[in-house]
Amino acid sequence: MRLLLVEDDPGLSRSLKLELESAGFAVDCATDGEAAEFLGSTESYDIVILDLGLPKMPGLEVLRRWRRAENQVPVIVLTARDAWHEKVDGFKAGADDYLGKPFHSEELLARVQALLKRFHGRMQPQLAACGLVLDEDTQTVSVGGRSEQLTAIEFRLLRYFMLHPGKVFTRTHLLEHIYQYDSDPASNVIEVYVNRLRRKLGNGLIATRRGQGYVFGEKA
């Protein structure tokens, strides 16, 4: 799944990007409000981590502009500020969650995973769909009583499918949600990874819709 990290502290941004990528996210970064507003308005993200104290445009204004444009991407706000009224302002602007600095990266990751599940109406501790259970900590999937290890791209793709069972996605849409902004994947990469998942999960979970794309949870 694809995540936008908006943080103007270079050291913090680098460390969070590495940890989020290790947790199975494709991560784009922005270091100021104008770049963040542009990326969030023109690219497809599954979740945003947004610092408030940004150069060029405050984080709250970035969030307000997204919400005015009916961009409903889930947003976790980061701030060094502790005043309760600033948290209220963040929620009024459309934030979905709030985390004050300093924080442990494990807490941020737990909040990201919880918000994604809540946003997609899946409240169980582990992501489960169509007889599969996905372990986000070990990036493995349980299927038919056995555990299968997933590569980074397989994990991103399967997690996206499991959050959207029954929905048809084009190859372009899937590419936008599992690769970063500056990536240049081969044209057949989605087909390659879908076939890899089929070998691990069986052929009955990911169907090909001719002229449309792929759907998870429908007999192939």
Side-chain angles (χ1 to χ4, degrees), residues 78-94:
L78 301 181
T79 182
R81 304 164 186 167
D82 251 345
W84 66 266
H85 59 85
E86 290 176 332
K87 293 185 179 182
V88 171
D89 289 342
F91 284 123
K92 284 184 176 180

Side-chain angles (χ1 to χ4, degrees), residues 129-142:
C130 302
L132 304 181
V133 178
L134 190 66
D135 189 319
E136 294 177 286
D137 293 329
T138 62
Q139 296 186 20
T140 59
V141 60
S142 175

Side-chain angles (χ1 to χ4, degrees), residues 30 39 41 53 58 67 80 97 104-105 108 111 118-119 146 152 165 167 189 199 208 213:
L39 284 172
S41 299
R67 296 313 192 217
D97 199 358
H104 292 287
S105 57
L108 175 61
R111 287 176 179 267
R118 186 166 72 246
F119 187 77
R146 71 182 191 280
K167 294 186 178 180
V189 69
R199 286 196 291 270
T208 300

Side-chain angles (χ1 to χ4, degrees), residues 37-167:
E37 196 274 335
F38 174 77
L39 284 172
S41 299
T42 58
E43 297 294 321
S44 299
Y45 293 105
D46 298 292
I47 193 165
V48 176
I49 298 171
L50 176 66
D51 187 28
L52 289 189
L54 297 171
K56 296 188 179 180
M57 185 188 301
L60 278 181
E61 179 58 25
V62 173
L63 183 54
R64 290 188 185 104
R65 291 189 182 195
W66 287 341
R67 296 313 192 217
R68 283 199 297 267
E70 298 186 356
N71 182 347
Q72 299 303 314
V73 62
V75 175
I76 297 177
V77 164
L78 301 181
T79 182
R81 304 164 186 167
D82 251 345
W84 66 266
H85 59 85
E86 290 176 332
K87 293 185 179 182
V88 171
D89 289 342
F91 284 123
K92 284 184 176 180
D96 298 280
D97 199 358
Y98 212 107
L99 186 58
K101 297 178 181 178
F103 56 85
H104 292 287
S105 57
E106 292 86 356
E107 180 182 0
L108 175 61
L109 180 57
R111 287 176 179 267
V112 166
Q113 292 170 337
L115 179 54
L116 281 170
K117 290 173 187 172
R118 186 166 72 246
F119 187 77
H120 293 286
R122 300 187 170 274
M123 299 305 296
Q124 62 267 48
Q126 289 185 306
L127 182 57
C130 302
L132 304 181
V133 178
L134 190 66
D135 189 319
E136 294 177 286
D137 293 329
T138 62
Q139 296 186 20
T140 59
V141 60
S142 175
V143 50
R146 71 182 191 280
S147 180
E148 291 281 354
Q149 185 68 50
L150 302 169
T151 67
I153 301 300
E154 289 170 353
F155 176 70
R156 291 179 196 171
L157 182 58
L158 181 57
R159 179 166 55 184
Y160 195 77
F161 275 139
M162 290 179 69
L163 285 168
H164 304 88
K167 294 186 178 180

Side-chain angles (χ1 to χ4, degrees), residues 1-5 17 21 25-30 35-36 38-45 156 174-185:
M1 302 188 77
R2 193 171 172 199
L3 181 151
L4 176 61
L5 172 62
K17 185 176 191 294
E21 286 176 339
F25 292 92
V27 182
D28 293 337
C29 294
F38 174 77
L39 284 172
S41 299
T42 58
E43 297 294 321
S44 299
Y45 293 105
R156 291 179 196 171
L174 292 171
L175 283 170
E176 289 175 346
H177 285 268
I178 65 171
Y179 279 95
Q180 294 162 199
Y181 182 73
D182 55 358
S183 297
D184 187 23

